[in-house]
Amino acid sequence: MEPRTVHAVDTNEQRDLRPLISWLERIEPWQKLTGEDSRAWQADPRSSLAGDDAKTDPFQVSHAVWHALTVSVTEIVRGAGELTTLGADLAQLVWSGCSALAHGDAYGTLAMLDKEIVARNQDVALVRVTGSISGLYWCTVAAVLMVNQGFELLQARSVSYR
């Protein structure tokens, strides 16, 4: 077996590593919020979200919002992306790419990771695929901005202003 080559962190990756850690630290409150019985999914009975629940009874919009935030599905990503500096299209592109990577889809591998052709044999290429800190940084920024916007909207619509 050949020794494994360890990827050295270049200057650009070092530049992105510190802010990446800073962005990842923003996730901790969400883990607590969704991991405990925080009751954050419950809307104040006089809130606009409770009004939405009443209009869609027996289906609860507040439950659908909570579910979407905890699993961060597509329509929610576009909506949150529209309210951030990313915009809906870029938000969906980044989220879809990360989802494809997480589920082992070839699209995610080809679109989101660094590739280096190490050998060719007729129509077949042997490709070394590696992740990059820069790519991880930008995907993290996009994800944090979108999910944060979703939690802010949930909070705003769950509180009574009467």
mmCIF file of all heavy atoms in Angstrom, residues 30-83:
data_model
loop_
_atom_site.group_PDB
_atom_site.id
_atom_site.type_symbol
_atom_site.label_atom_id
_atom_site.label_comp_id
_atom_site.label_asym_id
_atom_site.label_seq_id
_atom_site.Cartn_x
_atom_site.Cartn_y
_atom_site.Cartn_z
ATOM 1 N N TRP A 30 -28.469 26.940 17.480
ATOM 2 C CA TRP A 30 -29.492 26.175 16.777
ATOM 3 C C TRP A 30 -29.520 24.739 17.260
ATOM 4 O O TRP A 30 -30.585 24.131 17.363
ATOM 5 C CB TRP A 30 -29.252 26.183 15.275
ATOM 6 C CG TRP A 30 -29.166 27.519 14.641
ATOM 7 C CD1 TRP A 30 -29.646 28.704 15.135
ATOM 8 C CD2 TRP A 30 -28.549 27.822 13.411
ATOM 9 N NE1 TRP A 30 -29.357 29.711 14.257
ATOM 10 C CE2 TRP A 30 -28.693 29.205 13.192
ATOM 11 C CE3 TRP A 30 -27.893 27.055 12.452
ATOM 12 C CZ2 TRP A 30 -28.199 29.829 12.062
ATOM 13 C CZ3 TRP A 30 -27.404 27.677 11.327
ATOM 14 C CH2 TRP A 30 -27.556 29.046 11.137
ATOM 15 N N GLN A 31 -28.337 24.180 17.537
ATOM 16 C CA GLN A 31 -28.284 22.810 18.042
ATOM 17 C C GLN A 31 -29.003 22.717 19.380
ATOM 18 O O GLN A 31 -29.743 21.772 19.622
ATOM 19 C CB GLN A 31 -26.828 22.357 18.184
ATOM 20 C CG GLN A 31 -26.142 22.166 16.854
ATOM 21 C CD GLN A 31 -24.657 21.900 17.006
ATOM 22 O OE1 GLN A 31 -23.984 22.493 17.848
ATOM 23 N NE2 GLN A 31 -24.139 21.010 16.176
ATOM 24 N N LYS A 32 -28.801 23.698 20.223
ATOM 25 C CA LYS A 32 -29.483 23.714 21.520
ATOM 26 C C LYS A 32 -30.982 23.903 21.326
ATOM 27 O O LYS A 32 -31.788 23.221 21.940
ATOM 28 C CB LYS A 32 -28.902 24.828 22.393
ATOM 29 C CG LYS A 32 -29.449 24.829 23.788
ATOM 30 C CD LYS A 32 -28.749 25.849 24.668
ATOM 31 C CE LYS A 32 -29.310 25.753 26.072
ATOM 32 N NZ LYS A 32 -28.678 26.661 26.992
ATOM 33 N N LEU A 33 -31.350 24.834 20.443
ATOM 34 C CA LEU A 33 -32.752 25.135 20.184
ATOM 35 C C LEU A 33 -33.505 23.922 19.649
ATOM 36 O O LEU A 33 -34.626 23.645 20.050
ATOM 37 C CB LEU A 33 -32.842 26.289 19.188
ATOM 38 C CG LEU A 33 -34.208 26.890 18.914
ATOM 39 C CD1 LEU A 33 -34.762 27.566 20.156
ATOM 40 C CD2 LEU A 33 -34.107 27.889 17.775
ATOM 41 N N THR A 34 -32.887 23.184 18.737
ATOM 42 C CA THR A 34 -33.562 22.039 18.120
ATOM 43 C C THR A 34 -33.313 20.728 18.860
ATOM 44 O O THR A 34 -34.037 19.768 18.659
ATOM 45 C CB THR A 34 -33.131 21.868 16.652
ATOM 46 O OG1 THR A 34 -31.722 21.661 16.597
ATOM 47 C CG2 THR A 34 -33.523 23.078 15.834
ATOM 48 N N GLY A 35 -32.304 20.680 19.704
ATOM 49 C CA GLY A 35 -31.955 19.444 20.397
ATOM 50 C C GLY A 35 -32.620 19.277 21.740
ATOM 51 O O GLY A 35 -32.641 18.199 22.304
ATOM 52 N N GLU A 36 -33.164 20.336 22.285
ATOM 53 C CA GLU A 36 -33.834 20.296 23.576
ATOM 54 C C GLU A 36 -35.313 20.562 23.377
ATOM 55 O O GLU A 36 -35.743 20.960 22.301
ATOM 56 C CB GLU A 36 -33.248 21.366 24.511
ATOM 57 C CG GLU A 36 -31.784 21.167 24.820
ATOM 58 C CD GLU A 36 -31.217 22.299 25.676
ATOM 59 O OE1 GLU A 36 -31.967 23.244 25.999
ATOM 60 O OE2 GLU A 36 -30.037 22.227 26.016
ATOM 61 N N ASP A 37 -36.080 20.383 24.423
ATOM 62 C CA ASP A 37 -37.504 20.696 24.346
ATOM 63 C C ASP A 37 -37.679 22.192 24.599
ATOM 64 O O ASP A 37 -38.178 22.623 25.629
ATOM 65 C CB ASP A 37 -38.294 19.871 25.362
ATOM 66 C CG ASP A 37 -39.793 19.999 25.170
ATOM 67 O OD1 ASP A 37 -40.216 20.489 24.103
ATOM 68 O OD2 ASP A 37 -40.543 19.637 26.091
ATOM 69 N N SER A 38 -37.253 22.991 23.630
ATOM 70 C CA SER A 38 -37.254 24.444 23.772
ATOM 71 C C SER A 38 -38.632 25.049 23.547
ATOM 72 O O SER A 38 -38.868 26.200 23.874
ATOM 73 C CB SER A 38 -36.269 25.058 22.777
ATOM 74 O OG SER A 38 -36.724 24.833 21.459
ATOM 75 N N ARG A 39 -39.522 24.280 22.960
ATOM 76 C CA ARG A 39 -40.863 24.757 22.593
ATOM 77 C C ARG A 39 -40.811 25.932 21.612
ATOM 78 O O ARG A 39 -41.769 26.669 21.470
ATOM 79 C CB ARG A 39 -41.678 25.141 23.827
ATOM 80 C CG ARG A 39 -41.799 24.051 24.857
ATOM 81 C CD ARG A 39 -43.040 23.275 24.625
ATOM 82 N NE ARG A 39 -43.165 22.259 25.670
ATOM 83 C CZ ARG A 39 -43.711 21.109 25.462
ATOM 84 N NH1 ARG A 39 -44.178 20.821 24.284
ATOM 85 N NH2 ARG A 39 -43.796 20.216 26.413
ATOM 86 N N ALA A 40 -39.673 26.096 20.928
ATOM 87 C CA ALA A 40 -39.533 27.194 19.970
ATOM 88 C C ALA A 40 -40.475 27.029 18.790
ATOM 89 O O ALA A 40 -40.750 27.991 18.080
ATOM 90 C CB ALA A 40 -38.090 27.281 19.486
ATOM 91 N N TRP A 41 -40.989 25.833 18.574
ATOM 92 C CA TRP A 41 -41.907 25.583 17.463
ATOM 93 C C TRP A 41 -43.314 26.066 17.782
ATOM 94 O O TRP A 41 -44.160 26.158 16.900
ATOM 95 C CB TRP A 41 -41.932 24.099 17.123
ATOM 96 C CG TRP A 41 -42.196 23.224 18.307
ATOM 97 C CD1 TRP A 41 -41.251 22.675 19.132
ATOM 98 C CD2 TRP A 41 -43.458 22.821 18.821
ATOM 99 N NE1 TRP A 41 -41.869 21.961 20.129
ATOM 100 C CE2 TRP A 41 -43.225 22.020 19.966
ATOM 101 C CE3 TRP A 41 -44.771 23.054 18.440
ATOM 102 C CZ2 TRP A 41 -44.249 21.463 20.723
ATOM 103 C CZ3 TRP A 41 -45.791 22.490 19.187
ATOM 104 C CH2 TRP A 41 -45.523 21.706 20.311
ATOM 105 N N GLN A 42 -43.593 26.388 19.047
ATOM 106 C CA GLN A 42 -44.936 26.816 19.424
ATOM 107 C C GLN A 42 -45.114 28.310 19.179
ATOM 108 O O GLN A 42 -44.310 29.120 19.621
ATOM 109 C CB GLN A 42 -45.207 26.514 20.897
ATOM 110 C CG GLN A 42 -45.356 25.043 21.185
ATOM 111 C CD GLN A 42 -45.688 24.793 22.641
ATOM 112 O OE1 GLN A 42 -45.180 25.481 23.521
ATOM 113 N NE2 GLN A 42 -46.534 23.818 22.887
ATOM 114 N N ALA A 43 -46.184 28.652 18.506
ATOM 115 C CA ALA A 43 -46.499 30.053 18.235
ATOM 116 C C ALA A 43 -47.399 30.595 19.334
ATOM 117 O O ALA A 43 -48.294 29.903 19.811
ATOM 118 C CB ALA A 43 -47.194 30.169 16.878
ATOM 119 N N ASP A 44 -47.161 31.827 19.732
ATOM 120 C CA ASP A 44 -48.044 32.511 20.672
ATOM 121 C C ASP A 44 -49.449 32.503 20.073
ATOM 122 O O ASP A 44 -49.606 32.773 18.873
ATOM 123 C CB ASP A 44 -47.546 33.941 20.885
ATOM 124 C CG ASP A 44 -48.380 34.702 21.899
ATOM 125 O OD1 ASP A 44 -49.559 34.994 21.592
ATOM 126 O OD2 ASP A 44 -47.851 35.004 22.980
ATOM 127 N N PRO A 45 -50.476 32.205 20.864
ATOM 128 C CA PRO A 45 -51.834 32.121 20.315
ATOM 129 C C PRO A 45 -52.311 33.387 19.602
ATOM 130 O O PRO A 45 -53.205 33.331 18.771
ATOM 131 C CB PRO A 45 -52.704 31.840 21.543
ATOM 132 C CG PRO A 45 -51.777 31.266 22.553
ATOM 133 C CD PRO A 45 -50.423 31.858 22.287
ATOM 134 N N ARG A 46 -51.726 34.542 19.896
ATOM 135 C CA ARG A 46 -52.139 35.787 19.260
ATOM 136 C C ARG A 46 -51.174 36.245 18.164
ATOM 137 O O ARG A 46 -51.277 37.357 17.668
ATOM 138 C CB ARG A 46 -52.275 36.882 20.321
ATOM 139 C CG ARG A 46 -53.385 36.548 21.341
ATOM 140 C CD ARG A 46 -53.420 37.567 22.432
ATOM 141 N NE ARG A 46 -52.119 37.518 23.107
ATOM 142 C CZ ARG A 46 -51.746 38.284 24.104
ATOM 143 N NH1 ARG A 46 -52.548 39.197 24.547
ATOM 144 N NH2 ARG A 46 -50.562 38.161 24.648
ATOM 145 N N SER A 47 -50.248 35.373 17.760
ATOM 146 C CA SER A 47 -49.262 35.736 16.744
ATOM 147 C C SER A 47 -49.809 35.510 15.336
ATOM 148 O O SER A 47 -50.796 34.807 15.136
ATOM 149 C CB SER A 47 -47.980 34.917 16.924
ATOM 150 O OG SER A 47 -48.214 33.563 16.584
ATOM 151 N N SER A 48 -49.133 36.105 14.370
ATOM 152 C CA SER A 48 -49.548 35.906 12.974
ATOM 153 C C SER A 48 -49.362 34.459 12.548
ATOM 154 O O SER A 48 -50.137 33.939 11.739
ATOM 155 C CB SER A 48 -48.785 36.852 12.051
ATOM 156 O OG SER A 48 -47.400 36.645 12.157
ATOM 157 N N LEU A 49 -48.366 33.767 13.086
ATOM 158 C CA LEU A 49 -48.156 32.360 12.755
ATOM 159 C C LEU A 49 -49.288 31.497 13.307
ATOM 160 O O LEU A 49 -49.750 30.572 12.635
ATOM 161 C CB LEU A 49 -46.792 31.883 13.272
ATOM 162 C CG LEU A 49 -46.341 30.509 12.816
ATOM 163 C CD1 LEU A 49 -46.346 30.380 11.296
ATOM 164 C CD2 LEU A 49 -44.945 30.194 13.357
ATOM 165 N N ALA A 50 -49.773 31.823 14.506
ATOM 166 C CA ALA A 50 -50.941 31.102 15.049
ATOM 167 C C ALA A 50 -52.165 31.357 14.174
ATOM 168 O O ALA A 50 -52.997 30.461 13.970
ATOM 169 C CB ALA A 50 -51.201 31.526 16.489
ATOM 170 N N GLY A 51 -52.272 32.566 13.629
ATOM 171 C CA GLY A 51 -53.358 32.860 12.687
ATOM 172 C C GLY A 51 -53.261 32.001 11.441
ATOM 173 O O GLY A 51 -54.262 31.501 10.933
ATOM 174 N N ASP A 52 -52.039 31.818 10.958
ATOM 175 C CA ASP A 52 -51.827 30.930 9.808
ATOM 176 C C ASP A 52 -52.220 29.501 10.153
ATOM 177 O O ASP A 52 -52.840 28.806 9.340
ATOM 178 C CB ASP A 52 -50.365 30.958 9.365
ATOM 179 C CG ASP A 52 -49.950 32.304 8.789
ATOM 180 O OD1 ASP A 52 -50.830 33.081 8.374
ATOM 181 O OD2 ASP A 52 -48.727 32.573 8.761
ATOM 182 N N ASP A 53 -51.867 29.059 11.363
ATOM 183 C CA ASP A 53 -52.251 27.710 11.811
ATOM 184 C C ASP A 53 -53.772 27.550 11.806
ATOM 185 O O ASP A 53 -54.296 26.523 11.362
ATOM 186 C CB ASP A 53 -51.707 27.427 13.217
ATOM 187 C CG ASP A 53 -50.227 27.108 13.238
ATOM 188 O OD1 ASP A 53 -49.646 26.839 12.163
ATOM 189 O OD2 ASP A 53 -49.638 27.114 14.347
ATOM 190 N N ALA A 54 -54.473 28.562 12.300
ATOM 191 C CA ALA A 54 -55.938 28.495 12.354
ATOM 192 C C ALA A 54 -56.548 28.427 10.949
ATOM 193 O O ALA A 54 -57.522 27.707 10.733
ATOM 194 C CB ALA A 54 -56.482 29.707 13.107
ATOM 195 N N LYS A 55 -55.964 29.143 10.010
ATOM 196 C CA LYS A 55 -56.487 29.161 8.638
ATOM 197 C C LYS A 55 -56.231 27.854 7.896
ATOM 198 O O LYS A 55 -56.947 27.535 6.947
ATOM 199 C CB LYS A 55 -55.854 30.313 7.851
ATOM 200 C CG LYS A 55 -56.287 31.670 8.342
ATOM 201 C CD LYS A 55 -55.512 32.766 7.646
ATOM 202 C CE LYS A 55 -55.775 34.090 8.313
ATOM 203 N NZ LYS A 55 -54.772 35.095 8.000
ATOM 204 N N THR A 56 -55.226 27.115 8.298
ATOM 205 C CA THR A 56 -54.876 25.874 7.596
ATOM 206 C C THR A 56 -55.248 24.635 8.397
ATOM 207 O O THR A 56 -54.890 23.527 8.008
ATOM 208 C CB THR A 56 -53.368 25.842 7.273
ATOM 209 O OG1 THR A 56 -52.627 25.943 8.494
ATOM 210 C CG2 THR A 56 -52.992 26.952 6.318
ATOM 211 N N ASP A 57 -55.973 24.816 9.504
ATOM 212 C CA ASP A 57 -56.372 23.705 10.364
ATOM 213 C C ASP A 57 -57.080 22.629 9.548
ATOM 214 O O ASP A 57 -57.885 22.962 8.687
ATOM 215 C CB ASP A 57 -57.300 24.232 11.469
ATOM 216 C CG ASP A 57 -57.578 23.185 12.528
ATOM 217 O OD1 ASP A 57 -56.606 22.706 13.129
ATOM 218 O OD2 ASP A 57 -58.758 22.818 12.715
ATOM 219 N N PRO A 58 -56.754 21.378 9.697
ATOM 220 C CA PRO A 58 -55.993 20.771 10.782
ATOM 221 C C PRO A 58 -54.479 20.743 10.557
ATOM 222 O O PRO A 58 -53.739 20.215 11.376
ATOM 223 C CB PRO A 58 -56.537 19.344 10.831
ATOM 224 C CG PRO A 58 -56.826 19.029 9.399
ATOM 225 C CD PRO A 58 -57.308 20.349 8.799
ATOM 226 N N PHE A 59 -54.024 21.309 9.456
ATOM 227 C CA PHE A 59 -52.585 21.346 9.195
ATOM 228 C C PHE A 59 -51.994 22.579 9.861
ATOM 229 O O PHE A 59 -52.594 23.647 9.822
ATOM 230 C CB PHE A 59 -52.318 21.349 7.683
ATOM 231 C CG PHE A 59 -52.991 20.204 6.984
ATOM 232 C CD1 PHE A 59 -54.151 20.410 6.258
ATOM 233 C CD2 PHE A 59 -52.482 18.924 7.087
ATOM 234 C CE1 PHE A 59 -54.789 19.355 5.624
ATOM 235 C CE2 PHE A 59 -53.100 17.858 6.457
ATOM 236 C CZ PHE A 59 -54.268 18.078 5.734
ATOM 237 N N GLN A 60 -50.844 22.426 10.445
ATOM 238 C CA GLN A 60 -50.232 23.509 11.197
ATOM 239 C C GLN A 60 -49.033 24.074 10.447
ATOM 240 O O GLN A 60 -48.019 23.389 10.274
ATOM 241 C CB GLN A 60 -49.792 23.016 12.574
ATOM 242 C CG GLN A 60 -50.923 22.420 13.399
ATOM 243 C CD GLN A 60 -51.942 23.471 13.787
ATOM 244 O OE1 GLN A 60 -51.622 24.440 14.453
ATOM 245 N NE2 GLN A 60 -53.177 23.286 13.338
ATOM 246 N N VAL A 61 -49.140 25.314 10.001
ATOM 247 C CA VAL A 61 -48.028 25.968 9.314
ATOM 248 C C VAL A 61 -46.817 26.027 10.227
ATOM 249 O O VAL A 61 -45.685 25.804 9.801
ATOM 250 C CB VAL A 61 -48.428 27.385 8.846
ATOM 251 C CG1 VAL A 61 -47.231 28.137 8.289
ATOM 252 C CG2 VAL A 61 -49.554 27.315 7.823
ATOM 253 N N SER A 62 -47.042 26.300 11.516
ATOM 254 C CA SER A 62 -45.923 26.398 12.462
ATOM 255 C C SER A 62 -45.149 25.088 12.542
ATOM 256 O O SER A 62 -43.919 25.090 12.645
ATOM 257 C CB SER A 62 -46.412 26.808 13.852
ATOM 258 O OG SER A 62 -47.339 25.858 14.368
ATOM 259 N N HIS A 63 -45.838 23.967 12.464
ATOM 260 C CA HIS A 63 -45.148 22.673 12.491
ATOM 261 C C HIS A 63 -44.349 22.457 11.207
ATOM 262 O O HIS A 63 -43.237 21.931 11.244
ATOM 263 C CB HIS A 63 -46.155 21.539 12.681
ATOM 264 C CG HIS A 63 -46.828 21.581 14.017
ATOM 265 N ND1 HIS A 63 -47.728 20.628 14.402
ATOM 266 C CD2 HIS A 63 -46.756 22.463 15.044
ATOM 267 C CE1 HIS A 63 -48.181 20.907 15.622
ATOM 268 N NE2 HIS A 63 -47.602 22.021 16.021
ATOM 269 N N ALA A 64 -44.938 22.866 10.086
ATOM 270 C CA ALA A 64 -44.224 22.729 8.811
ATOM 271 C C ALA A 64 -42.973 23.600 8.795
ATOM 272 O O ALA A 64 -41.921 23.182 8.304
ATOM 273 C CB ALA A 64 -45.150 23.096 7.654
ATOM 274 N N VAL A 65 -43.077 24.814 9.349
ATOM 275 C CA VAL A 65 -41.915 25.704 9.416
ATOM 276 C C VAL A 65 -40.830 25.084 10.286
ATOM 277 O O VAL A 65 -39.653 25.058 9.922
ATOM 278 C CB VAL A 65 -42.324 27.094 9.954
ATOM 279 C CG1 VAL A 65 -41.104 27.933 10.302
ATOM 280 C CG2 VAL A 65 -43.210 27.820 8.952
ATOM 281 N N TRP A 66 -41.224 24.578 11.443
ATOM 282 C CA TRP A 66 -40.253 23.964 12.356
ATOM 283 C C TRP A 66 -39.583 22.762 11.686
ATOM 284 O O TRP A 66 -38.366 22.600 11.753
ATOM 285 C CB TRP A 66 -40.922 23.538 13.654
ATOM 286 C CG TRP A 66 -39.940 23.020 14.643
ATOM 287 C CD1 TRP A 66 -39.792 21.726 15.045
ATOM 288 C CD2 TRP A 66 -38.943 23.770 15.339
ATOM 289 N NE1 TRP A 66 -38.769 21.632 15.954
ATOM 290 C CE2 TRP A 66 -38.234 22.872 16.154
ATOM 291 C CE3 TRP A 66 -38.590 25.113 15.358
ATOM 292 C CZ2 TRP A 66 -37.186 23.275 16.969
ATOM 293 C CZ3 TRP A 66 -37.554 25.516 16.177
ATOM 294 C CH2 TRP A 66 -36.866 24.603 16.965
ATOM 295 N N HIS A 67 -40.367 21.950 11.022
ATOM 296 C CA HIS A 67 -39.809 20.793 10.318
ATOM 297 C C HIS A 67 -38.829 21.246 9.241
ATOM 298 O O HIS A 67 -37.723 20.711 9.124
ATOM 299 C CB HIS A 67 -40.932 19.957 9.704
ATOM 300 C CG HIS A 67 -40.438 18.829 8.867
ATOM 301 N ND1 HIS A 67 -39.868 17.693 9.399
ATOM 302 C CD2 HIS A 67 -40.397 18.678 7.526
ATOM 303 C CE1 HIS A 67 -39.505 16.888 8.417
ATOM 304 N NE2 HIS A 67 -39.811 17.454 7.270
ATOM 305 N N ALA A 68 -39.225 22.234 8.466
ATOM 306 C CA ALA A 68 -38.361 22.714 7.387
ATOM 307 C C ALA A 68 -37.053 23.277 7.934
ATOM 308 O O ALA A 68 -35.983 23.061 7.353
ATOM 309 C CB ALA A 68 -39.094 23.767 6.571
ATOM 310 N N LEU A 69 -37.119 23.995 9.052
ATOM 311 C CA LEU A 69 -35.895 24.550 9.630
ATOM 312 C C LEU A 69 -34.982 23.459 10.179
ATOM 313 O O LEU A 69 -33.767 23.563 10.081
ATOM 314 C CB LEU A 69 -36.224 25.552 10.736
ATOM 315 C CG LEU A 69 -36.693 26.909 10.244
ATOM 316 C CD1 LEU A 69 -37.216 27.738 11.400
ATOM 317 C CD2 LEU A 69 -35.572 27.634 9.522
ATOM 318 N N THR A 70 -35.566 22.432 10.737
ATOM 319 C CA THR A 70 -34.724 21.382 11.302
ATOM 320 C C THR A 70 -34.137 20.468 10.237
ATOM 321 O O THR A 70 -33.115 19.839 10.468
ATOM 322 C CB THR A 70 -35.487 20.553 12.365
ATOM 323 O OG1 THR A 70 -36.661 19.995 11.786
ATOM 324 C CG2 THR A 70 -35.845 21.411 13.559
ATOM 325 N N VAL A 71 -34.755 20.410 9.065
ATOM 326 C CA VAL A 71 -34.174 19.619 7.979
ATOM 327 C C VAL A 71 -33.758 20.487 6.796
ATOM 328 O O VAL A 71 -33.122 20.007 5.875
ATOM 329 C CB VAL A 71 -35.127 18.503 7.482
ATOM 330 C CG1 VAL A 71 -35.434 17.522 8.580
ATOM 331 C CG2 VAL A 71 -36.393 19.071 6.893
ATOM 332 N N SER A 72 -34.124 21.768 6.818
ATOM 333 C CA SER A 72 -33.764 22.767 5.805
ATOM 334 C C SER A 72 -34.021 22.276 4.383
ATOM 335 O O SER A 72 -33.107 22.017 3.621
ATOM 336 C CB SER A 72 -32.313 23.192 5.979
ATOM 337 O OG SER A 72 -32.139 23.746 7.244
ATOM 338 N N VAL A 73 -35.293 22.158 3.951
ATOM 339 C CA VAL A 73 -35.698 21.674 2.627
ATOM 340 C C VAL A 73 -35.704 22.832 1.606
ATOM 341 O O VAL A 73 -35.682 23.995 1.981
ATOM 342 C CB VAL A 73 -37.067 20.978 2.699
ATOM 343 C CG1 VAL A 73 -37.034 19.761 3.584
ATOM 344 C CG2 VAL A 73 -38.147 21.924 3.145
ATOM 345 N N THR A 74 -35.907 22.515 0.361
ATOM 346 C CA THR A 74 -35.673 23.345 -0.832
ATOM 347 C C THR A 74 -36.424 24.642 -0.864
ATOM 348 O O THR A 74 -35.837 25.696 -1.003
ATOM 349 C CB THR A 74 -35.966 22.531 -2.085
ATOM 350 O OG1 THR A 74 -37.238 21.968 -2.010
ATOM 351 C CG2 THR A 74 -34.959 21.456 -2.326
ATOM 352 N N GLU A 75 -37.801 24.606 -0.802
ATOM 353 C CA GLU A 75 -38.583 25.857 -0.845
ATOM 354 C C GLU A 75 -38.142 26.818 0.250
ATOM 355 O O GLU A 75 -38.090 28.033 0.056
ATOM 356 C CB GLU A 75 -40.091 25.578 -0.691
ATOM 357 C CG GLU A 75 -40.715 24.846 -1.862
ATOM 358 C CD GLU A 75 -40.456 23.343 -1.828
ATOM 359 O OE1 GLU A 75 -40.130 22.793 -0.755
ATOM 360 O OE2 GLU A 75 -40.537 22.708 -2.888
ATOM 361 N N ILE A 76 -37.810 26.277 1.451
ATOM 362 C CA ILE A 76 -37.375 27.122 2.559
ATOM 363 C C ILE A 76 -36.033 27.755 2.228
ATOM 364 O O ILE A 76 -35.792 28.922 2.530
ATOM 365 C CB ILE A 76 -37.295 26.313 3.868
ATOM 366 C CG1 ILE A 76 -38.685 25.803 4.259
ATOM 367 C CG2 ILE A 76 -36.686 27.136 4.986
ATOM 368 C CD1 ILE A 76 -39.729 26.875 4.471
ATOM 369 N N VAL A 77 -35.166 27.005 1.619
ATOM 370 C CA VAL A 77 -33.845 27.532 1.251
ATOM 371 C C VAL A 77 -33.992 28.707 0.284
ATOM 372 O O VAL A 77 -33.358 29.750 0.461
ATOM 373 C CB VAL A 77 -32.967 26.414 0.632
ATOM 374 C CG1 VAL A 77 -31.710 26.976 0.013
ATOM 375 C CG2 VAL A 77 -32.615 25.381 1.698
ATOM 376 N N ARG A 78 -34.831 28.576 -0.714
ATOM 377 C CA ARG A 78 -35.025 29.676 -1.676
ATOM 378 C C ARG A 78 -35.622 30.897 -0.984
ATOM 379 O O ARG A 78 -35.181 32.019 -1.206
ATOM 380 C CB ARG A 78 -35.933 29.241 -2.831
ATOM 381 C CG ARG A 78 -35.230 28.312 -3.812
ATOM 382 C CD ARG A 78 -36.035 28.136 -5.092
ATOM 383 N NE ARG A 78 -36.194 29.358 -5.842
ATOM 384 C CZ ARG A 78 -35.260 29.896 -6.614
ATOM 385 N NH1 ARG A 78 -34.082 29.317 -6.727
ATOM 386 N NH2 ARG A 78 -35.485 31.008 -7.278
ATOM 387 N N GLY A 79 -36.615 30.673 -0.141
ATOM 388 C CA GLY A 79 -37.241 31.787 0.573
ATOM 389 C C GLY A 79 -36.264 32.509 1.485
ATOM 390 O O GLY A 79 -36.212 33.744 1.512
ATOM 391 N N ALA A 80 -35.483 31.747 2.230
ATOM 392 C CA ALA A 80 -34.485 32.364 3.106
ATOM 393 C C ALA A 80 -33.402 33.043 2.281
ATOM 394 O O ALA A 80 -32.940 34.136 2.631
ATOM 395 C CB ALA A 80 -33.876 31.308 4.031
ATOM 396 N N GLY A 81 -33.012 32.420 1.177
ATOM 397 C CA GLY A 81 -31.994 33.005 0.316
ATOM 398 C C GLY A 81 -32.418 34.343 -0.253
ATOM 399 O O GLY A 81 -31.616 35.265 -0.373
ATOM 400 N N GLU A 82 -33.715 34.478 -0.582
ATOM 401 C CA GLU A 82 -34.227 35.747 -1.103
ATOM 402 C C GLU A 82 -34.072 36.881 -0.094
ATOM 403 O O GLU A 82 -33.935 38.039 -0.465
ATOM 404 C CB GLU A 82 -35.711 35.611 -1.465
ATOM 405 C CG GLU A 82 -35.954 34.828 -2.727
ATOM 406 C CD GLU A 82 -37.437 34.618 -3.001
ATOM 407 O OE1 GLU A 82 -38.283 35.092 -2.204
ATOM 408 O OE2 GLU A 82 -37.750 33.974 -4.003
ATOM 409 N N LEU A 83 -34.103 36.531 1.180
ATOM 410 C CA LEU A 83 -34.033 37.543 2.230
ATOM 411 C C LEU A 83 -32.605 37.810 2.698
ATOM 412 O O LEU A 83 -32.397 38.600 3.611
ATOM 413 C CB LEU A 83 -34.908 37.113 3.410
ATOM 414 C CG LEU A 83 -36.390 36.959 3.063
ATOM 415 C CD1 LEU A 83 -37.145 36.334 4.222
ATOM 416 C CD2 LEU A 83 -36.992 38.297 2.675
#
